[in-house]
Amino acid sequence: MLSALPERHPLRSYAAEAPLIRAYRGDRPEVTPVWFMRQAGRSLPEYRALRQGRDMLDTCLVPELASEITLQPVRRHGVDAGIFFSDIMIPLRLAGVDVTIEPGIGPVVAEPADSPEAIERITSLELTDAALEPIREAVRLTVRELEQTGTPLIGFAGAPFTLAAYLVAGRPTKDHMPVRTLMHAYPEAWRQLAQWAAGVTGKFLREQVLAGASAAQLFDSWAGSLPKRQYVDRVVPHSRAALDAVRDLDVPLVHFGVGAAELYGEMNLDVDTVGVDWRTPLDEAIQRIPGDVTVQGNLDPALLGAGWEAIEPAVRDVLERGRSARAHVFNLGHGVPPEADPEQLTRIVELVHSV
Ligand code: CP3
């Protein structure tokens, strides 16, 4: 086991015994591990200070900055994991796609992949090893620091469908109609696009793991917009391909979707952990997910603004429901909203660790 990981990888030393990794693998450590999706970012004043006047995706590609931003929430909240500061759009940018994150809008692609011809152009782009060097360097710098406190780093990537939702529409859309229409209008072009996206996103994920990440999470944030048939036939094979890019490395795998309650029966792509959004109580989600998996989630992010009197019982309720799974990693049901009070997040970490 672990044979494909480099000799000095954290999973061969300190990270293997970290509560997060043990829980992902099905163990119940003394404390329930906790981290937050989007724990790095606009809720933190130290993040806003660093980002002043700097473009989002450019920032991700400066190793010292990406590393520092990854570490900020770990220092501040005492969470059980760092999640690498980057973005699901980064491998597309590194392959040569003209993509930016526009403030107040989100990901914007200059030339959308909205026809078979446009898909032909995009899928001729290649993500080279050399282009990924800033990612490897940022991960190495980060892991060097995290080792001091025994904290593992989570690597991540966007699932092919979520990436394609942006590539096809060129910007965020309601219900992801353009990509869902394209799937029906041009099934072969869809397959080509999804296969290409799986390749670049899988490579991005693999490089993070090889450089020192000890777990890998695939975000299929928009999978919940799909009918089950479409999800199973046209999306699952590509998500599986993205996960297969790291399977031989034997790091715990996490699969997460938003609004995907109808899909839980299909989301265990031989992963260790399934991430559950805030809509489905953990004990119900566990009933629906086949196989013996750990669950991750799922405090409603809306509670963060509701005051401690509302937060505390909700945190306890999530912990209670998480007991019906083999193991539980506490998280929110989606990312930290920018307006969240970081002190409430720190208090949640303390509470989860004390229960
Ligand atoms: O702390 C972490 O969780 C790590 C960093 C991280 C970011 N994006 C940084 C980021 C992660 C894991 C992501 C994943 C990501 N990016 C997803 C999947 C998770 C999810 O939220 O569903 C998606 C869909 C994206 C695409 C994307 N990037 C969106 C929709 C946005 C928001 C745009 C906005 O203005 O709110 C981004 C930008 C982004 N990525 C920010 C951060 C911290 C905010 C931009 C900023 O700080 O200027």
Side-chain angles (χ1 to χ4, degrees), residues 11 23 106 121 126 132 149 159 197 216-217 233 260 270 275 286 298 304 333 337 349:
L11 258 197
R121 274 197 300 279
E126 232 180 280
L132 285 158
T149 50
Q217 174 158 331
D233 293 347
D270 299 310
I286 291 157
N298 74 342
L304 295 175
V349 174

Side-chain angles (χ1 to χ4, degrees), residues 133-145:
E133 183 52 25
I135 301 303
R136 287 188 289 268
E137 180 59 12
V139 169
R140 286 193 289 259
L141 291 173
T142 308
V143 169
R144 205 175 295 160
E145 287 280 319

Side-chain angles (χ1 to χ4, degrees), residues 35-42 47-48 51 54-57 60 69-70 73 82-89 101-107 154 156-159 162-163 166 172 217-222 256 258 334-336 338:
W35 67 278
F36 304 110
M37 293 185 274
R38 290 275 174 89
Q39 60 189 19
R42 285 170 293 183
Y47 170 81
R48 295 196 296 266
R51 275 289 315 283
R54 289 191 175 101
D55 172 77
M56 167 66 196
L57 294 184
C60 295
I69 294 171
T70 304
I83 174 146
F84 181 50
F85 182 79
S86 197
D87 194 86
I88 61 167
M89 306 306 285
I101 306 279
E102 298 294 335
I105 302 176
I154 301 169
F156 75 91
T162 291
L163 291 175
Y166 292 113
Q217 174 158 331
L218 196 71
F219 284 91
D220 208 349
S221 303
W222 311 141
F256 171 69
V258 179
H334 198 181
V336 175

Side-chain angles (χ1 to χ4, degrees), residues 186-333:
Y186 306 112
E188 179 50 31
W190 160 256
R191 196 196 54 76
Q192 189 185 350
L193 180 65
Q195 194 175 357
W196 178 83
V200 295
T201 210
K203 201 161 178 182
F204 174 62
L205 192 58
R206 186 172 179 89
E207 290 305 303
Q208 294 169 60
V209 172
L210 286 173
S214 293
Q217 174 158 331
L218 196 71
F219 284 91
D220 208 349
S221 303
W222 311 141
S225 69
L226 286 161
K228 196 186 293 192
R229 248 322 262 299
Q230 296 298 312
Y231 181 69
V232 171
D233 293 347
R234 306 198 193 199
V235 170
V236 161
H238 306 289
S239 292
R240 199 177 265 287
L243 290 164
D244 285 347
V246 294
R247 225 177 262 285
D248 64 310
L249 301 177
D250 274 320
V251 294
L253 303 178
V254 186
H255 192 199
F256 171 69
V258 179
E262 295 304 322
L263 305 177
Y264 285 145
E266 320 296 334
M267 284 190 69
N268 178 8
L269 306 180
D270 299 310
V271 292
D272 301 273
T273 299
V274 173
V276 176
D277 85 352
W278 72 93
R279 293 176 180 89
T280 313
L282 286 182
D283 47 342
E284 269 181 48
I286 291 157
Q287 301 275 317
R288 295 193 194 182
I289 302 165
D292 190 25
V293 292
T294 298
V295 286
Q296 176 171 278
N298 74 342
L299 184 74
D300 185 349
L303 275 151
L304 295 175
W308 188 249
E309 311 68 47
I311 296 173
E312 180 177 350
V315 169
R316 291 185 188 278
D317 182 61
V318 168
L319 287 168
E320 193 51 45
R321 292 178 191 276
R323 281 185 211 289
S324 56
R326 65 174 192 177
H328 175 207
V329 172
F330 192 95
N331 205 311
L332 302 179

Side-chain angles (χ1 to χ4, degrees), residues 60-213:
C60 295
L61 296 173
V62 179
E64 292 73 19
L65 291 176
S67 173
E68 173 59 23
I69 294 171
T70 304
L71 295 165
Q72 285 175 344
V74 181
R75 293 188 197 115
R76 180 192 265 265
H77 301 308
V79 279
D80 293 279
I83 174 146
F84 181 50
F85 182 79
S86 197
D87 194 86
I88 61 167
M89 306 306 285
I90 280 286
L92 306 179
R93 155 80 67 101
L94 293 177
V97 177
D98 183 345
V99 53
T100 52
I101 306 279
E102 298 294 335
I105 302 176
V108 174
V109 177
E111 293 178 43
D114 53 5
S115 66
E117 298 72 36
I119 287 173
E120 194 68 50
R121 274 197 300 279
I122 285 208
T123 57
S124 69
L125 297 172
E126 232 180 280
L127 176 57
T128 65
D129 267 352
L132 285 158
E133 183 52 25
I135 301 303
R136 287 188 289 268
E137 180 59 12
V139 169
R140 286 193 289 259
L141 291 173
T142 308
V143 169
R144 205 175 295 160
E145 287 280 319
L146 287 176
E147 187 169 12
Q148 313 297 320
T149 50
T151 312
L153 180 69
I154 301 169
F156 75 91
F161 174 72
T162 291
L163 291 175
Y166 292 113
L167 283 170
V168 173
R171 50 179 50 236
T173 50
K174 194 169 167 280
D175 299 331
H176 318 292
M177 197 76 86
V179 67
R180 294 194 293 113
T181 298
L182 183 128
M183 249 181 214
H184 294 286
Y186 306 112
E188 179 50 31
W190 160 256
R191 196 196 54 76
Q192 189 185 350
L193 180 65
Q195 194 175 357
W196 178 83
V200 295
T201 210
K203 201 161 178 182
F204 174 62
L205 192 58
R206 186 172 179 89
E207 290 305 303
Q208 294 169 60
V209 172
L210 286 173

